[in-house]
Amino acid sequence: MLGAELCCSRAVATLEGNSTLVKILKKVVHSTSLRINVQDCEPLAVVAVQRYLSDTCLPSQPGPSQVSASYLYDVTLTDGELQTKCFLAPDLNAVVHTNSLRCGIEIKIKQCCYVYDEKRINNGFLSIEKVELGSNISPILCSISDLSALPNVFSLQGNLFYANSVSQTPLVGGRKYYLSLWNNEDPYGEMRNVFKQLELHITVDASKIITLSNLEMIWRSRLKYPPLLVRIMHKSRLRYFGKPGKKMDVPYQVYFEVADCSGMMSMVMWNDLCLEWYNSIYVGSVLFIQQYTVKPSYQHRTWPTPGDPQMKVFKTVEVCLNPREPASELYILPEKNVKPEWQLPKVRYHFISRVDLDHLPHNYTCDVIGLVIFVGRCERLRKKEGAEDFWLYRWVHIIDGTADKPFILELFSTSQPDVFEHIHPMAYLVCTQMRVVRDPDLTSSTQPYLTTSNESQLFITGLGLHKSHKGQPYTTDPKVKAFIQWTKTQNENDLLQRTVIGGYYHFPPPPVTFAQFCKDNKAETVLTSSNEVMKMIANLHYREHKRIAFLGSIASVRYIHHSCTAKVLPAMDVEEEEIFFSARSSPPSSQESDGLAQKSPTQKRKSELHQETEPLTAPIMQLPDFSPSSKFPFRRKRQQRYQTEDHDTAAVYQQSSAELNNKENEENNPNLQSCSRLCGGESHVCSVHAVQQPEVSSDNVWESDIWSEVKGQLSVHLHYGCLLPESIPRKFDYHHRELLVQQLLLHPAKHQCGMHTWSKQMEEHSSLLDHGHFEVTILGINRQFAIDTVFLPVTSTEDHRKLGLLDDLHSNTLLSCVNLGYVSQQQTTGTHESSVLPPPDSIVQTADELNRQHFICILDICHLGEATVEVFLNQLYNPLPIAQAV
């Protein structure tokens, strides 16, 4: 924090009376223990939450951390006058993992300490150990038009100073860069904005250039190699290989496939060069390279499929570009300076049409172009169980006019965040190096789909050079031209009627049999116990998706009409809830201890959870209309504070109306626990919005003959039967494009002035659902655990979720509807034949045939942020054939 960053050497005396940050910093740096409990802290706004790799050699901190974290977080705060960057204690990482602590919200610091870096001179930082979460939208940020204009306050040897900007390097561990907040593949910060200029005046002597074929033959006999002149044919996503404790400044790697007149060879770029060059080198770029090395190629990696099948590929060696020893020299040549005598090959593609896809084999590589008609929300898949690394992906449908069915695309992040985040309906999308995914046995009715490979690149209309279609090599491809001609014949309004954005979407559907499900997952055991379900939900990270198999029986079924969905609860004149998180536990005061000691366990729980006589509730959405007084998606009420006795992150409990109704059962049964609980001795969040349930007619409700007796004796009942706003697909329109697209993305790391707020504007967008949903309660086979789930069947052939499902008529029992995923339309007889849907109560009453039967239930679970979890029932398998086979 010295040198150029320090713009003034005077103390910030003029701001002491106004700045909350100055008051906190002055108090903590002058305290004897360098730690303070902040009383009556004024609200602060979160400007940024930034992630970086942990280090085993952390600077000394007062008090041991109870969490072994792979990644650490810095949080930039402002009070409206100044801003400062703080370190978030690792015990509080969970509030970032669930997106509870995020940019844009309001917080209060309850405990903090000041930490000096013992390995750096005049370097220290504020470390947050306890925090209260306040409003979802900070009034402070709403009043600031330019965050970059706020001075940065910090402390040096007990004195406060300010600088023009916040440091762009992490506070702890000596790291030189931040990572993308939600995955490791996307460039972040300065890396995202670095672009190299074309070399207009470089002189290339063709007589001194070596071809790739000659390089392969002589590489062992040379220490220094002649220059290379090549064209980029393929480009991989960024690979981050950093690990905690390993001191490597920039652990990145990128593969390119380069070609000249003799053939194609792999080129790998390492470390700092990736930050410097990744955004500047594109497919089709011509490079002049000097000072490189050659080594045997790494064989255990994916290889792209050449667009030209006649091109010779050299796979024995690869060119290596390093930032040092030796420092490689690269020059990007303008296309107009490329001479014909160099004989550099052109980039070629292999575009297919939708009508071709049905005949292509599994794992076939191709390129596609189409008009986007559906784009799903961004979700994450954990790379390895127990790790904090995730793949980022989303589902997209595109049409090209050659078939009635669209391409179904599974798009993983390709290290092109500007493109990945701007995919929207009605855009032209090009995806290269896609792989066909289909059942290798060809016995499944599931539609084939395409997934990205390591070398896939995305291009979309509306972005700048090298991100959109202008100037791309594929623009002259015949199938691309044919697609453009087709779009000119289409009516824009007709196409717009087919567009869908967001909502719950699952693909591919589960296999027909559980044996196939086990095979597809390649696991010795795939069944999840009730305890594992609770722990798994509690450990979910933000937008993490999981599909699990759970053994249970159907306990109850309710059909909830959207026309009679519960009225949104009126806003009550109470303070907004401030959720309290602690990184360090402290014993209660003597008065608190005495008070609690005089209460029974049930009274203690009531005293902690329910300080008011009115129930703690949160509104849900009224479909198809929304209440203007509702605050979606995370309304907060009275203050709830917890500290764990084992120094773990504080548990946050949201009490639902169902829990309040079960209080009498809890008093009679001390083993009963609400849906919010501690799993495995750790603190977790296991609940969702509390809701006021609608009145449902008796015809729309079915209960098993044991449910009325069992539900009062349950140890755990998880309530996830509400259809959440984020689960509902919506119509797309150009006027609200930015708002709709933003809500599908993950929450950004930094606050941007003018960010849209879903809670206030989503009511303007009508739902595409014209029917209700089923709330299905699944009872564990030991009858101690139950979970409410959502079943949302397809009711129209125009539904985008119909792809991959069968078209056969079925009996419209609850079991057939769940297993096939849709409600079958029935033909009416009479003067005018037509197709109609059966009444919901007739489907509900067929659940009687499932009474006391065990099923393997396939559940789709996704964490939507804070304590909001989406649980959908996807499939019911009969376990009897499996048991008989065993």
Side-chain angles (χ1 to χ4, degrees), residues 167-335:
S167 170
Q168 298 302 311
T169 56
L171 293 174
V172 172
R175 302 288 178 184
K176 296 183 178 181
Y177 58 92
Y178 285 108
L179 297 169
S180 177
L181 185 57
W182 304 115
N183 72 332
N184 289 339
E185 285 70 37
D186 287 341
Y188 176 76
E190 294 182 359
M191 181 182 180
R192 190 166 172 172
N193 301 314
V194 174
F195 296 94
K196 291 287 186 178
Q197 297 296 322
L198 299 178
E199 295 293 339
L200 300 177
H201 306 292
I202 188 73
T203 300
V204 178
D205 187 350
S207 63
K208 296 182 179 180
I209 292 173
I210 188 172
T211 63
L212 296 176
S213 60
N214 289 336
L215 182 63
E216 185 193 35
M217 291 187 292
I218 61 95
W219 73 278
R220 290 186 182 274
S221 60
R222 297 282 188 95
L223 294 178
K224 189 175 181 180
Y225 306 101
L228 288 172
L229 183 63
V230 294
R231 187 185 296 277
I232 303 296
M233 309 302 285
H234 302 283
K235 176 184 177 180
S236 76
R237 66 166 66 97
L238 277 170
R239 175 177 173 262
Y240 181 77
F241 56 91
K243 295 182 179 179
K246 288 193 174 182
K247 295 293 292 184
M248 183 175 292
D249 288 340
V250 189
Y252 280 105
Q253 177 198 68
V254 180
Y255 266 97
F256 300 92
E257 303 303 317
V258 299
D260 61 10
C261 60
S262 65
M264 187 168 69
M265 182 181 292
S266 296
M267 180 179 75
V268 58
M269 183 179 288
W270 293 95
N271 304 335
D272 301 62
L273 288 181
C274 297
L275 301 183
E276 185 179 354
W277 289 92
Y278 187 79
N279 285 337
S280 302
I281 300 178
Y282 308 98
V283 173
S285 297
V286 176
L287 298 185
F288 180 66
I289 306 171
Q290 300 182 99
Q291 299 286 66
Y292 59 91
T293 60
V294 182
K295 68 173 185 177
S297 61
Y298 181 69
Q299 298 296 322
H300 301 289
R301 56 173 284 252
T302 61
W303 299 80
T305 301
D308 182 2
Q310 304 300 321
M311 179 176 288
K312 186 175 182 180
V313 181
F314 308 106
K315 291 189 175 183
T316 58
V317 297
E318 60 189 24
V319 177
C320 298
L321 305 181
N322 300 286
R324 60 191 64 87
E325 298 180 359
S328 299
E329 299 178 7
L330 289 80
Y331 304 95
I332 304 175
L333 305 183
E335 188 64 32

Side-chain angles (χ1 to χ4, degrees), residues 370-375 396-399 423-427 429 499:
L371 177 79
V372 177
I373 60 171
F374 164 72
V375 55
V396 174
H397 293 179
I398 62 175
I399 56 176
I423 299 175
H424 60 84
M426 301 298 290
L429 178 65
T499 58

Side-chain angles (χ1 to χ4, degrees), residues 806-872:
L806 295 173
D807 294 325
D808 300 340
L809 296 175
H810 61 85
S811 57
N812 278 329
T813 64
L814 179 67
L815 182 60
S816 66
C817 289
V818 172
N819 286 345
L820 295 175
Y822 63 94
V823 177
S824 178
Q825 295 187 355
Q826 307 297 317
Q827 297 294 328
T828 61
T829 59
T831 307
H832 302 285
E833 292 187 0
S834 61
S835 298
V836 297
L837 294 173
D841 60 291
S842 66
I843 298 177
V844 170
Q845 297 310 314
T846 62
D848 195 53
E849 66 186 31
L850 310 181
N851 190 38
R852 296 202 184 199
Q853 290 190 36
H854 288 177
F855 291 96
I856 300 172
C857 309
I858 307 302
L859 306 181
D860 278 334
I861 304 175
C862 185
H863 192 292
L864 299 179
E866 290 196 302
T868 311
V869 179
E870 170 191 87
V871 181
F872 273 73

Side-chain angles (χ1 to χ4, degrees), residues 726-739:
E726 299 90 336
S727 305
I728 299 175
R730 304 189 177 277
K731 294 179 180 179
F732 174 78
D733 65 84
Y734 283 113
H735 182 66
H736 298 99
R737 184 181 73 178
E738 292 185 5
L739 168 67

Side-chain angles (χ1 to χ4, degrees), residues 305 350 352-367 407 434-442 446-451:
T305 301
H350 187 195
I352 66 166
S353 61
R354 179 58 184 87
V355 74
D356 300 327
L357 179 60
D358 292 331
H359 309 291
L360 298 179
H362 177 70
N363 216 31
Y364 184 85
T365 302
C366 59
D367 311 306
F407 287 107
M434 301 291 286
R435 303 288 175 86
V436 177
V437 181
R438 69 187 318 140
D439 186 353
D441 300 327
L442 298 180
T446 301
Q447 294 288 330
Y449 65 96
L450 302 176
T451 188

